[in-house]
Amino acid sequence: MSQFYEYLKMAVSNIRANKMRSFLTMLGIIIGISSVILIMSLGNGAKNVITDQMAGIASGQIALYTFDDTGSYYITEEDIEAIKESVPGIQAVNSYMYADGSTVTKKGEFSVSANGQMASYQYFSTTGILKGRYFNEAEYLSGMPVCVIGENDAIRLFGSVDVVGMNLDVTVWGMDITMTIVGVEAMEKESMFTFTYDNTPVTVYFPLTVFEQIYGMSADPYYQIYLLAEQDADTAAVTAQVVDLLEKRHQCYGEDIYQYESFNDYLATVNTVINVVTMLISLVAAISLIVGGIGVMNIMLVSVTERTREIGIRKALGAKTRSILLQFLSESAIITMIGGLIGIAGGIAGAFLIARIVAAVNPMFTFTPSISVSTILVTTAFSSAIGLFFGIYPAKKAAKMSPIEALRRN
């Protein structure tokens, strides 16, 4: 152990004696390590903020629809009740219809996106209620003309969010309907997935059964429904059970009549894509580590040439081949390890700097770089391995040198 400590002292002493040359040798390692750390940290941080914002939109939601031109396999109210009773992990089931309309208030005339929803709509809302309440099951079943509007829309229509109990006249397909506002939804937080534009339609949510007055026909049966899985439920397993139940009830097992799209599947796909892109860019950045390793080997060969007399004297005094080998290997390993540590610090600092710049340019994409301890450990070990690998040839060359030849050269 004391001998190894001596090798380290000699290696550090030689590095300090050639500070500029040692730093330039480390530069390739520093750039490579800092690039990998920076890219991985930014990639993980961006992935976290993207998935968090996407999860806030529709996490756990599953759209289930039927490809059926005959109407024989449409989803009925009885099917929905069976799903609620028989399939564990289902928090709510919803379906909706929408139509374009208009409304006029003292603030002016506005286009309207009229959304007829089931009473379970409240479970699918991602913002929650600000004033009042959502319409209930009794209002849904009786087709009461009550509605819920958003916070921003309330301000646009009436100049205030204190609108619970007020009436809203909506015209849909030439039919005038007076709805009583029972609730105001909280404003959705701004994110990269939210956007507004001039003359954005006012969104009005009301019982789906009100559409019976507009269309003159029942909304039941449905060609599409939406499932909301419980927070810890396996959405894939839940969906499979729902499809199996519907196929059994409608006797169409194995005919792929019922198709589905899971938001969690989309989220997993987005995560996979971000991970793959981050990994590929990191691998490209890691190429500079190879270049840096070649630089280490080159400078160590120069060092061997410059120190041939020292090697000859040490071997003449009885130094073993193994001792010379370890001396030069430890020197190359220390160079790359120091370069790796500097690279790690530079990568972390660079990641936070870039994140701040991005946040200043686009406040909706504010995120914190995610520093992975495993990434730091792996890159540190890799930088040391690079030093050892590319230091083997110069070290072997020095170790195999005969003392007579070494003394004669200098």
Side-chain angles (χ1 to χ4, degrees):
M1 189 66 184
S2 59
Q3 193 176 18
F4 181 70
Y5 179 68
E6 197 65 32
Y7 298 150
L8 292 180
K9 284 179 62 178
M10 292 173 64
V12 171
S13 176
N14 188 63
I15 291 171
R16 292 178 65 182
N18 301 277
K19 293 185 182 69
M20 181 56 67
R21 188 172 73 180
S22 299
F23 175 74
L24 293 175
T25 304
M26 295 175 191
L27 199 56
I29 302 295
I30 293 172
I31 293 172
I33 293 294
S34 61
S35 298
V36 172
I37 294 291
L38 185 146
I39 292 167
M40 293 292 286
S41 300
L42 289 176
N44 290 333
K47 182 185 74 172
N48 291 340
V49 73
I50 289 171
T51 52
D52 286 347
Q53 291 188 8
M54 288 184 67
I57 297 172
S59 180
Q61 293 192 27
I62 305 158
L64 193 145
Y65 48 91
T66 174
F67 285 112
D68 174 30
D69 296 329
T70 66
S72 303
Y73 304 107
Y74 276 16
I75 302 167
T76 65
E77 290 282 1
E78 290 77 15
D79 290 331
I80 292 175
E81 290 302 318
I83 290 171
K84 292 178 181 178
E85 294 174 4
S86 304
V87 180
I90 293 288
Q91 183 178 355
V93 181
N94 187 34
S95 187
Y96 74 89
M97 298 174 65
Y98 71 92
D100 295 327
S102 63
T103 186
V104 178
T105 68
K106 292 181 180 180
K107 292 288 186 178
E109 183 175 356
F110 301 87
S111 58
V112 170
S113 175
N115 277 263
Q117 303 274 349
M118 290 182 169
S120 55
Y121 159 70
Q122 59 184 294
Y123 297 104
F124 290 80
S125 173
T126 57
T127 58
I129 205 75
L130 177 68
K131 299 280 186 176
R133 60 177 176 81
Y134 291 101
F135 54 84
N136 55 40
E137 187 74 20
E139 290 166 333
Y140 167 75
L141 293 174
S142 61
M144 287 285 292
V146 293
C147 69
V148 175
I149 61 176
E151 181 180 350
N152 285 343
D153 290 334
I155 294 171
R156 291 171 62 196
L157 292 171
F158 302 102
S160 170
V161 295
D162 296 317
V163 296
V164 174
M166 296 177 64
N167 290 333
L168 180 66
D169 297 322
V170 179
T171 301
V172 180
W173 283 16
M175 182 175 181
D176 297 327
I177 303 176
T178 299
M179 298 186 184
T180 302
I181 301 172
V182 296
V184 177
E185 277 193 325
M187 180 172 57
E188 187 175 356
K189 292 180 180 178
E190 285 192 352
S191 72
M192 69 189 77
F193 301 108
T194 59
F195 63 92
T196 58
Y197 53 90
D198 293 339
N199 301 319
T200 302
V202 171
T203 303
V204 180
Y205 301 99
F206 52 87
L208 179 59
T209 46
V210 173
F211 259 121
E212 294 181 11
Q213 303 172 36
I214 299 172
Y215 286 102
M217 55 181 286
S218 174
D220 180 22
Y222 313 97
Y223 77 94
Q224 184 169 358
I225 61 173
Y226 296 86
L227 311 172
L228 181 62
E230 293 177 353
Q231 188 171 4
D232 298 327
D234 183 345
T235 55
V238 167
T239 307
Q241 291 181 63
V242 172
V243 171
D244 185 66
L245 176 64
L246 291 174
E247 288 181 338
K248 287 179 179 177
R249 287 179 61 86
H250 292 270
Q251 299 180 355
C252 58
Y253 191 79
E255 296 182 25
D256 293 330
I257 295 293
Y258 300 102
Q259 302 292 320
Y260 64 90
E261 295 176 354
S262 171
F263 184 82
N264 285 7
D265 291 341
Y266 287 129
L267 200 57
T269 301
V270 170
N271 282 336
T272 301
V273 170
I274 294 175
N275 287 337
V276 169
V277 171
T278 303
M279 187 61 65
L280 288 176
I281 297 175
S282 298
L283 288 175
V284 172
I287 292 175
S288 59
L289 286 174
I290 308 299
V291 177
I294 294 173
V296 171
M297 181 171 65
N298 182 54
I299 209 68
M300 291 305 297
L301 285 171
V302 172
S303 181
V304 168
T305 302
E306 290 178 345
R307 295 156 65 186
T308 50
R309 185 173 182 81
E310 174 193 331
I311 295 168
I313 293 172
R314 289 193 63 203
K315 297 202 79 172
L317 293 173
K320 296 181 180 179
T321 300
R322 179 174 173 273
S323 298
I324 304 296
L325 179 67
L326 288 176
Q327 177 189 343
F328 281 89
L329 274 179
S330 60
E331 188 171 324
S332 62
I334 288 174
I335 287 175
T336 50
M337 183 172 288
I338 294 173
L341 294 174
I342 296 173
I344 289 169
I348 293 173
F352 278 93
L353 176 62
I354 292 175
R356 292 188 66 177
I357 293 173
V358 171
V361 174
N362 184 3
M364 286 191 296
F365 195 56
T366 301
F367 69 97
T368 302
S370 179
I371 311 299
S372 170
V373 176
S374 60
T375 300
I376 292 175
L377 293 176
V378 168
T379 50
T380 303
F382 188 63
S383 65
S384 299
I386 286 285
L388 290 173
F389 179 79
F390 285 99
I392 287 174
Y393 176 70
K396 278 188 174 181
K397 183 177 180 182
K400 289 181 178 179
M401 195 176 294
S402 70
I404 297 175
E405 181 183 352
L407 291 170
R408 186 183 296 162
R409 282 189 186 178
N410 209 326

